[in-house]
Amino acid sequence: MDWKEILRRRLATPSTSPNKKKSEQELKDEEMDLFTKYYSEWKGGRKNTNEFYKTIPRFYYRLPAEDEVLLQKLREESRAVFLQRKSRELLDNEELQVGEKAGPKCKQFFTAKVFAKLLHTDSYGRISIMQFFNYVMRKVWLHQTRIGLSLYDVAGQGYLRESDLENYILELIPTLPQLDGLEKSFYSFYVCTAVRKFFFFLDPLRTGKIKIQDILACSFLDDLLELRDEELSKESQETNWFSAPSALRVYGQYLNLDKDHNGMLSKEELSRYGTATMTNVFLDRVFQECLTYDGEMDYKTYLDFVLALENRKEPAALQYIFKLLDIENKGYLNVFSLNYFFRAIQELMKIHGQDPVSFQDVKDEIFDMVKPKDPLKISLQDLINSNQGDTVTTILIDLNGFWTYENREALVANDNENSTDLDDT
């Protein structure tokens, strides 16, 4: 018989004093007393609830405070020992050469699960040895890199702050042959350039920290570690943000724009960026929304600006530009905001002796390209989903970009003619 049945029968028993009626409150008190008694017995006789809570295992350990030096040192040492143990569990170069005697470390790779992952279309149900070897190499590299990054995770919470990643890249530089030519005086600027790409794309909410898991999942670390290749082609270096030529190009552009040599960029100086055809309205928004110092932009803020404009197809870049275009901070672009920016394009066209294009036509083209869920509003997600975000933003902020879009058919025809002429020769 459970406690509910006991309680029901006890309350159903007639009172020993039938002539004395109990008040409603007395009945409630008796019911609560009986409930407490039988519930305690049913739970094993625990009358003190504190005893019950003591049986719950501890699942939270607070991080030591800054003034708790001893606890911090203990935590750092224990994490270092843990990471060293994990590192020893990985295959080294000799063990990766799979021979007749595969050690215990290899056991994790010789499983049905791994085999199924690598099995594709072989009619005999086989997997390639090279394919298997590359898989193991990749897994070992990921674990090694994760351990290496975790050594810089001061908080031990699975993420890196900006200063943590800066330390990691700074100590990585001497191990990358493609960066041998960098002057040590340029190291701090190189590190800043490299770190900004990670944080611009992996920390869109600007929390100041990135998950180590996200770093491993993206391709940026592959690009950075590609610089270990001593024979990396010139073309690969030019397209790799982390290469020495790329970093020197970006920093060189910054220095060239800085006409007064004060280490910062004013709005007038930034207006000469690229083809110097961005509208003043857009530049005003850049300096309103982005972090500046006495109305001027530092190198770190400039890097965000460059990353956004050079990667306009990427969601993080579109988010950056969308925030600037959303002048009313409503979370969408409407006809008013589109007209606000395109009027500046029309003004530049007049200045350059071109016949202004009708806003109504451009507005219709933009909505046709994006096809937003709401026919009167364009959200950031609409821009991303349309795969036309780079074209739309270019039309609104850059005269040269708009001219290229407007004359795209003529430019394509001209390119085709040039190709034909080259083939004939």
Side-chain angles (χ1 to χ4, degrees), residues 30 56 65 85 104 113 116 261 373 418:
E30 184 180 353
I56 300 175
R85 187 174 72 249
K113 186 177 181 181
H261 306 294
K373 291 182 178 179
N418 291 337

Side-chain angles (χ1 to χ4, degrees), residues 115-127:
F115 186 88
K117 279 183 180 179
L118 301 178
L119 181 63
H120 295 297
T121 57
D122 187 84
S123 57
Y124 294 98
R126 302 169 300 185
I127 61 173

Side-chain angles (χ1 to χ4, degrees), residues 310-333:
E310 289 189 357
N311 301 274
R312 293 183 216 187
K313 288 183 179 293
E314 299 296 326
L318 288 175
Q319 180 181 350
Y320 176 98
I321 300 174
F322 185 88
K323 184 179 179 182
L324 303 177
L325 298 178
D326 183 13
I327 52 176
E328 298 177 291
N329 198 28
K330 290 183 175 180
Y332 59 82
L333 307 180

Side-chain angles (χ1 to χ4, degrees), residues 293-354:
Y293 303 87
D294 294 328
E296 294 200 312
M297 176 185 290
D298 70 349
Y299 184 55
K300 187 180 292 187
T301 305
Y302 172 76
L303 287 171
D304 285 347
F305 178 79
V306 173
L307 286 165
L309 294 186
E310 289 189 357
N311 301 274
R312 293 183 216 187
K313 288 183 179 293
E314 299 296 326
L318 288 175
Q319 180 181 350
Y320 176 98
I321 300 174
F322 185 88
K323 184 179 179 182
L324 303 177
L325 298 178
D326 183 13
I327 52 176
E328 298 177 291
N329 198 28
K330 290 183 175 180
Y332 59 82
L333 307 180
N334 53 21
V335 174
F336 173 79
S337 53
L338 297 180
N339 187 36
Y340 179 82
F341 284 95
F342 191 72
R343 276 185 304 177
I345 295 289
Q346 291 174 319
E347 290 298 322
L348 284 178
M349 294 181 76
K350 290 178 183 177
I351 292 172
H352 287 81
Q354 301 174 11

Side-chain angles (χ1 to χ4, degrees), residues 11 41 94 110 122 125 167 178 183 261 330 350 367 420:
L11 291 174
E41 292 176 357
E94 292 182 3
F110 290 92
D122 187 84
N167 291 333
Q178 288 296 336
E183 297 287 339
H261 306 294
K330 290 183 175 180
K350 290 178 183 177
F367 275 90
T420 304

Side-chain angles (χ1 to χ4, degrees), residues 145-157:
T145 307
R146 186 184 187 93
I147 291 170
L149 289 169
S150 296
L151 291 171
Y152 294 84
D153 176 13
V154 177
Q157 297 295 293

Side-chain angles (χ1 to χ4, degrees), residues 152 162-176 179 182-192 194-195 224:
Y152 294 84
E162 199 163 338
S163 58
D164 300 331
L165 192 55
E166 286 173 352
N167 291 333
Y168 172 76
I169 293 177
L170 182 62
E171 294 183 18
L172 192 65
I173 291 176
T175 70
L176 305 175
L179 300 181
L182 284 183
E183 297 287 339
K184 287 193 175 181
S185 58
F186 185 68
Y187 277 13
S188 60
F189 296 102
Y190 175 82
V191 169
C192 181
V195 168
L224 180 60

